Structure formats: C-alpha cells, structure tokens
Amino acid sequence: LQSSEIREIRKDFPFLELSTKEKPLVYLDSAATTQKPRQVIEAMNRYYSYENGGPHRGAHRLSMAATEVYEGAREAVKNFIGANSVEEIVFTRNATEGLNLLAYCWGLENLKEGDEIVLSIMEHHANLVTWQYVAEKTGAKLVYLYIDENKEIPKKEIEEKITAKTKLLAITQSSNVLGTMPDVKTMIAYLRKVSPDAKAVVDGAQAAPHMPVDVKDLDCDFYVFSGHKMLAAMGAGVLYGKLDNLNAMKPYMYGGDMIEYVYEDHSTFLKAPGRFEAGTQDVGAASSLPVAIDYLNAIGLDKIHEYESYLVDYAYDAMSQMDDITILSRPTNPRGGLITFNFKDVHPHDVASILDSKGIAIRSGHHCAQPLHRSFGIHFSCRASFAVYNTIEEVDYFIKNLDEVRRLMGLGTR
Ligand code: PMP
C-alpha cells in the first residue's frame, strides 16, 4: 500500500481527529481492539435509527428488518472465512465466549481421563484457562507445545506431543504477544493422521483481522474471532464450527430463540446456529460486521498483511539497534503486526505512561499470556501493535520517543 492510499484510509477514521500537532495521538494498540471507520459507525447508526426490532420474532416491518440485518451479517461472515454454509456461523460476544462455548458444550461433554488437550505455551488465557477448567473437570491432561529461539513451535515438538491420545488441539493462528503464526494447517493435517477423532480449535482473534482466512483450507473443526479487533463493533464475535460438530453439541445457554418446542417437562432445540444463540441477540453489533468485512476486503487482506509487516520490519530493525531494549516477539517473517519488548530495568507500565504523555498508545502488562511470560522468566512486557491506519511516520515518532523513555529513566541516549 502506498502512503497516498494510507492517507485516504486515515480519512475514514474519526478517532484520528483527536490527533493534533500540539497533542498527537498515535494508536499502537490495535491488537487489543481496532479503531472503527466511519462506515462501520454509520452502519450501526443506521441500524438503531431505522432497522431496530426484535430479530426472528415478529411479522412486522422492523422485526423483519432486524432479522435481515442479523442474517445478512451471518452471510458476510460465512463468505469472509470460506465456511460451507451460514448454519456454521454462530454469533458470540467475542472470541472468549466462543472458546467458552466450546469448553462447556464440547469439552466437558466429550473429554475424559486419559485424553490429552494439546495447546501452545503462547495461547491467550481465553484459549488456555478455558481448557484448564475442562481438564480439571474431566481428568483430561493439558500438554503444552513450547517454542524455540525463533519463537516457533519446532516440528519435533509437534510430532512428539500430538499423539493418538490427543483429543483436542487448541492453537492460535497468530500470537498476540509474539506475532508467531503457527502453521496450523500442517498441524491439523498431522493431527488428523495420528488421531482421526480429535478436534482442532483455532483461535483466530489476531489472524482474521490481518490475513486471508479459509476455514475449509485449514480443515479446522472450530474457529473463533472477535469483530472488535477487525474494525467492527464490540459484542460482535464469531464461532465457526463444521456443521456436524455443532449439531452434535448440546446448547450453551437456554431460553428464548433457541428452542423448537417447549413442554412442561422438557424441550427440543433448534439446530445450529440457533441452538447456541439464546435470547435477543446483539443485532446492532452484528450490523457492523458486513461493513467492516467489506472495508477490509476492499483494501485486500493480503495487502494489509504486507503493509503491517512492513511497519513491523521497520520498527524491529530500529529497535534491535537500541541498547537496553530486549525484543520478545518473533525476529523474522512471517509474523503478525506487532512488536513486544522490554526496557532493561524499566517497568512496562512506566514505559507506557511515558509514551502516553507523548500521545502514543501502547499496551503494557502480561497481555493475557502469563504462562508465556513466565517461560521467559518475566511477568510483563510492552507491546506496540499496528493496523492499516498507522503510518511509517507514526512508527518513527514511536521509535524516537523510546529514546525519550531512555532519557527520562536515566538510561542515557544513543
Ligand atoms: N485470543 C487472542 C490471540 C487474543 O489476542 C485475544 C484478545 N486479546 C483473545 C483471544 C480474546 O479476545 P476477546 O477479548 O475479544 O474475547
């Protein structure tokens, strides 16, 4: 993407109006949540102004309008990830809820003592604590895949740990701390070979916003992601599941909108996706998804990934020259659009506060990946993450201000 194209893209993002010469705002926390283009905000505005009604419930005009918006969003998501049918798309609040749904409705029902859940040490807590709970309840065992100095999972690790005992592989497609993008397609193919009945869950929270995703090509059983990390609204999460898997699962929550017939003593339930969508759904949030998807597709996810890689390469090259900085994230491509680092002897929260005083928003903390941090012998880190609305000048400004952190913290300048 040319800088002229990025300039055009930036015009679509109202939050950038907050950035002035006197008080800049450089948002480098898109891995936490992305900012929204006006098209997305307008879609939600349109929904609440002219299309709001109880979905799936009424025969009146606005109820039908809401149903159309909601089911239209499902169609857009289906096409976005290459699912077979709209029935395979379940709306959730976010990736976390999708993973919990799987833990409760698949994990607790299907795993037992002697079974193994294979996951990587770089999983987000959403794809880790959930399986810990399932392991505790069922007696299944957690088996971790560890990483090498390139922040990759070595082939040997995969071939040693994925075995006939593996009943679930729960793996990220892009790490929110390291930027590592495990080859989940090859891992799943290997899983199929050694344990044909096992299921594969892919956490796409950091992948779907930044690269083309094809769930059929991955051959995963389940795939989760969050709309709010891909320009859409908070509350617009997605769980994809192969239809047979979904229909074999019990409902998640019980109540209205998910039943077929209700008798005094028992009920029958809708097939997927309805059986997992109890209660009035967040149509307003869903209304943002098709617009966000169109926005990403119009730019092209390949181009987005390439552009974000360019920003990361640039930051990585500059920061790896700086004394007193340790970079934790992956040293080589392919990698996600982020860089994670620490200053020697400076707490990440201090780094983030100093940068904030310069108008730069980064994330500091454990990024919901405590086991990963512990495996490096640390507790916290700083993370700068990029999106298509960031410019190379912003990355420069960020790098320049890392020197300011050094100065203020008495580390001296280069
Ligand atoms: N997985 C990964 C890799 C993530 O980065 C995140 C969000 N930081 C999640 C899962 C959870 O997403 P959410 O908070 O939207 O449920």
Side-chain angles (χ1 to χ4, degrees), residues 31 94-96 124 126 172 174 176 203 205-206 226 228-229:
N94 47 34
T96 302
H124 186 282
T172 184
S174 185
N176 65 315
D203 175 357
Q206 296 294 344
S226 292
H228 73 89
K229 292 184 195 279

Side-chain angles (χ1 to χ4, degrees), residues 101-121:
L101 191 161
L102 293 174
Y104 282 90
C105 304
W106 187 86
L108 292 184
E109 298 294 328
N110 290 285
L111 295 176
K112 56 180 188 323
E113 217 173 313
D115 292 342
E116 293 185 351
I117 300 170
V118 174
L119 68 174
S120 85
I121 193 66

Side-chain angles (χ1 to χ4, degrees), residues 103-231:
Y104 282 90
C105 304
W106 187 86
L108 292 184
E109 298 294 328
N110 290 285
L111 295 176
K112 56 180 188 323
E113 217 173 313
D115 292 342
E116 293 185 351
I117 300 170
V118 174
L119 68 174
S120 85
I121 193 66
M122 60 191 148
E123 296 312 312
H124 186 282
H125 293 165
N127 200 26
L128 191 158
V129 183
T130 32
W131 304 118
Q132 272 177 351
Y133 178 70
V134 170
E136 186 192 308
K137 286 281 177 199
T138 61
K141 190 175 143 201
L142 296 180
V143 175
Y144 284 92
L145 301 169
Y146 292 94
I147 51 176
D148 62 17
E149 61 287 354
N150 267 333
K151 314 294 153 72
E152 275 171 341
I153 305 169
K155 189 161 176 251
K156 188 161 165 281
E157 188 74 0
I158 294 167
E159 293 183 353
E160 264 172 33
K161 300 212 170 144
I162 298 182
T163 68
K165 283 191 189 161
T166 309
K167 288 291 163 334
L168 176 73
L169 170 67
I171 185 84
T172 184
Q173 198 180 11
S174 185
S175 157
N176 65 315
V177 180
L178 302 177
T180 305
M181 299 159 73
D183 181 357
V184 293
K185 183 179 171 180
T186 305
M187 284 169 83
I188 293 170
Y190 186 73
L191 175 76
R192 303 280 181 235
K193 210 166 69 184
V194 300
S195 187
D197 296 334
K199 303 292 181 206
V201 177
V202 177
D203 175 357
Q206 296 294 344
H210 304 285
M211 60 195 257
V213 169
D214 184 337
V215 289
K216 281 211 293 281
D217 183 54
L218 294 178
D219 189 29
C220 53
D221 294 285
F222 303 103
Y223 190 95
V224 300
F225 61 101
S226 292
H228 73 89
K229 292 184 195 279
M230 46 172 273
L231 313 182

Side-chain angles (χ1 to χ4, degrees), residues 304-361:
I304 290 173
H305 181 54
E306 195 183 311
Y307 178 69
E308 290 169 354
S309 295
Y310 155 71
L311 298 179
V312 175
D313 291 353
Y314 184 87
Y316 194 96
D317 287 349
M319 289 168 69
S320 51
Q321 316 282 322
M322 295 174 87
D323 295 336
D324 306 315
I325 284 189
T326 312
I327 300 177
L328 299 177
S329 49
R330 187 167 147 75
T332 50
N333 283 315
R335 58 187 166 194
L338 54 84
I339 183 157
T340 304
F341 61 98
N342 264 324
F343 272 93
K344 187 168 157 247
D345 299 333
V346 183
H347 196 285
H349 291 333
D350 290 336
V351 178
S353 297
I354 295 171
L355 291 176
D356 180 56
S357 74
K358 302 291 174 188
I360 301 166

Side-chain angles (χ1 to χ4, degrees), residues 90 97 100-110 239 245-261 267-279:
V90 178
E97 191 178 63
N100 274 274
L101 191 161
L102 293 174
Y104 282 90
C105 304
W106 187 86
L108 292 184
E109 298 294 328
N110 290 285
L239 161 68
N245 289 332
L246 290 178
N247 280 330
M249 279 156 51
K250 281 190 173 170
Y252 184 37
M253 291 195 281
Y254 295 85
D257 244 19
M258 50 76 70
I259 51 87
E260 204 177 27
Y261 298 106
S267 303
T268 58
F269 306 111
L270 294 176
K271 288 196 174 331
R275 74 164 53 190
F276 302 109
E277 296 181 356

